[in-house]
Amino acid sequence: MNSGRPYRMRARAEAAEATRRRVFNAAADLLRQRLRADIRLEDVAAGAGVTVQTVLRVAGSKTELFQVAFEHLLAEIAEQLYGAEPGDVDAAVRTWFDHYEQFGDVVVRTLADETDPAVSPIVEVGRAKHRQRVEHLLGPLLTTRQADERARVLDALVCASDVYTWKLLRRDFGRSRTEAEATMRLMIESIVRSRQ
């Protein structure tokens, strides 16, 4: 008699999951373009094609919404940035530039907003992830065995490959991507050579 009920329940569950994905994808898309503080729940709702009430029902709160959306972006960024083989400076610089060309401006704006208690943890995660990526990609090139010296060299490599370096080269100095990549490679290779 109720043969249609399991089908309807499954269809409802699938529709709810599709709505959930649209809401979090809309929030992640907005985070790619704007500061978190500049994004309203109405913007997310419009992007997902739902009401603000649906956004809150799905996410629970604005804080939770952006936390999940940020985690989604981190996973996407990690996949993008770990494409280079460890020790390959050219590939590392290319993947950083792929990332910075797509997200660099919003990352720089987010860094300017890091005094916001909701943004500060996001910035800290980003810094830690960047350092991990630098160590993963460029660590094999470091020959120094002393921990304090290795940490200093790693600090220099983190600075050389940072989003602010990209901003200086691309936005402030107006260098082409090719020129900017060559400059970042020069800095990284100079740091590595000076410690061999």
Side-chain angles (χ1 to χ4, degrees):
M1 290 288 231
N2 289 330
S3 62
R5 188 169 181 210
Y7 171 77
R8 284 193 303 273
M9 289 175 64
R10 185 173 62 245
R12 273 192 216 131
E14 289 171 357
E17 180 56 28
T19 298
R20 181 183 179 287
R21 278 194 307 271
R22 283 197 325 273
V23 165
F24 287 114
N25 286 341
D29 286 345
L30 288 166
L31 283 173
R32 286 183 185 95
Q33 303 163 30
R34 299 190 229 162
L35 290 174
R36 180 189 173 281
D38 295 337
I39 301 171
R40 301 170 310 134
L41 289 175
E42 291 82 1
D43 301 327
V44 177
V50 299
T51 65
V52 170
Q53 291 84 352
T54 299
V55 170
L56 289 171
R57 183 177 46 76
V58 166
S61 69
K62 187 174 182 180
T63 300
E64 183 64 22
L65 170 70
F66 287 112
Q67 181 61 40
V68 172
F70 179 67
E71 288 170 6
H72 173 78
L73 280 178
L74 281 179
E76 181 182 317
I77 289 166
E79 184 177 319
Q80 183 184 51
L81 290 174
Y82 280 109
E85 286 295 318
D88 185 341
V89 175
D90 289 341
V93 169
R94 192 171 44 256
T95 55
W96 277 315
F97 268 78
D98 287 345
H99 170 66
Y100 294 151
E101 294 293 319
Q102 185 177 2
F103 295 108
D105 292 318
V106 77
V107 169
V108 169
R109 287 194 305 269
T110 300
L111 288 167
D113 200 33
E114 72 177 300
T115 56
D116 180 335
V119 175
S120 181
I122 293 169
V123 169
E124 288 305 313
V125 168
R127 283 190 181 114
K129 294 282 187 190
H130 179 61
R131 187 175 189 88
Q132 289 168 1
R133 282 188 290 275
V134 170
E135 186 153 26
H136 172 75
L137 293 172
L138 303 178
L141 301 173
L142 304 182
T143 56
T144 182
R145 302 266 187 248
Q146 295 176 327
D148 60 336
E149 177 66 12
R150 183 179 175 85
R152 266 194 304 280
V153 174
L154 189 59
D155 287 348
L157 292 171
V158 167
C159 292
S161 60
D162 192 71
V163 68
Y164 282 126
T165 302
W166 168 84
K167 179 191 173 291
L168 279 169
L169 294 168
R170 293 285 282 140
R171 300 298 183 244
D172 300 350
F173 300 164
R175 302 293 186 257
S176 70
R177 178 171 172 169
T178 301
E179 293 169 324
E181 283 188 27
T183 302
M184 185 178 282
R185 268 194 311 277
L186 173 65
M187 290 189 293
I188 290 169
E189 290 167 350
S190 297
I191 291 165
V192 170
R193 269 195 312 274
S194 74
R195 296 301 164 198
Q196 290 179 337

